[in-house]
Amino acid sequence: MQWRSFVLEANAILKVLTIRRIVNAIRVVCFYVLSRITGKIYLGYKPMAVSIEPTSICNLKCPECPTGAGVLNRPRGQMELKQYEVLLGQLGPQLMYLNLYVQGEPMMHPQFAEMVLLARKQGYYTSCSTNGHFLSSGVAEKLVEADMTRLIFSVDGLTQDSYQKYRVGGDLSKVIDSIKNVVEAKRRKKRRFPIVVMQFLVFEHNEHELDGIRQLAKSLDVDKLELKSAQFNSFAQGGVKPPVNNSLNRYVEGQSKVVKGSLRNHCWRQWHSAVITWNGALSPCCFDKDATHAFGNVFDTDFQTLNKSEISFDFKDLIINDKKAIAMCLNCTEGRSFLP
Ligand code: SF4
């Protein structure tokens, strides 16, 4: 299964490569390395990857997610298709990877499949993460026809009881049906994409299900199973807990707020990617849940002007010289040792 997904990923990346994108990627890497070596900020390119939030609304109440826990301090809503089209125009042909997910459940956007189609017309690698409650066979077929590249399903439990401990309000049977709908649509249409990924967040209450989840992934014929350590924000005051098996936990044993690995003054994401909320805030990364560090609004000012603005430079300068001064970076794994 993992070998199959590797081949598909390689194929998907080769498909989106153009001279422009390769040149842009080389520039991104060079400017990043130069900035790290000198401690000065060098920009002058477009990021390789962008995440756009179709909607910040969600049907579930996951306790460690600011949307689910009801603590997101920015307006709820969904991006208009017209605004999205303008935005794609701003991002241009250098962009390689478009993730259609930030906060909220992306498939709750009524025009989600059209958004994928428009992005694929630009030749972008398209990806999204879903809780899998809105993929009827019709929607699955549309996404397959749109040639979406990667679709990640959150399946954090083997039984309804275990699943709903984190995915509060969710229905595991619906998620399984959604996965089947996509796998079946691919088979019917004789397509290899989207790459179907089953993602399993490991907690104390579900870590005993790892063997079972591997079996389930195999029986559903998904392309990949990803085990992921969960981020804890303590919104739910201990409603769920990190796993006892410390190798599946991103935090130092017994200290749910201390991320393993030393904090280093760099962040690759600041050079190669950006995040845009449904109402246009250009944010440095997905850890900026309330867009408090936003560089501005892409519906008021062009993306690239904001990307190279003084606010963007100042933020990156802090990252390179004093990252510990940014609170959200303390709970982030970026630049630390590899974790599941
Ligand atoms: S939280 Fe900080 S270190 Fe993590 S991705 Fe965002 S800016 Fe980078």
Side-chain angles (χ1 to χ4, degrees), residues 162-182:
S162 143
Y163 171 79
Q164 70 188 10
K165 279 206 168 71
Y166 186 66
R167 300 286 160 186
V168 178
D171 180 342
L172 181 61
S173 65
K174 270 193 186 161
V175 187
I176 303 291
D177 284 349
S178 294
I179 295 175
K180 286 179 181 166
N181 286 340
V182 178

Side-chain angles (χ1 to χ4, degrees), residues 213-230:
I213 210 76
R214 286 188 189 100
Q215 290 298 324
L216 179 65
K218 213 171 172 183
S219 70
L220 290 172
D221 198 25
V222 300
D223 298 304
K224 192 177 185 190
L225 171 67
E226 276 178 2
L227 304 180
K228 200 175 166 195
S229 66

Side-chain angles (χ1 to χ4, degrees), residues 14 21-22 28 33 83 89 92 186 188 219 242 246 262 298 321:
L14 286 176
R21 287 182 181 139
I22 294 169
V28 169
V33 172
Q83 290 179 313
K186 279 170 63 176
R188 234 178 9 255
S219 70
N246 203 244
S262 56
V298 290
N321 293 299

Side-chain angles (χ1 to χ4, degrees), residues 257-259 263 323-332 336:
K257 278 295 188 127
V258 183
V259 179
L263 187 83
K323 195 164 86 169
K324 66 177 181 328
I326 307 169
M328 67 181 183
C329 300
L330 304 178
N331 192 13
C332 171
R336 308 196 196 215

Side-chain angles (χ1 to χ4, degrees), residues 184-195:
E184 186 46 41
K186 279 170 63 176
R187 207 169 279 151
R188 234 178 9 255
K189 300 265 166 197
K190 297 192 174 29
R191 300 281 189 96
R192 290 180 300 158
F193 295 97
I195 302 166

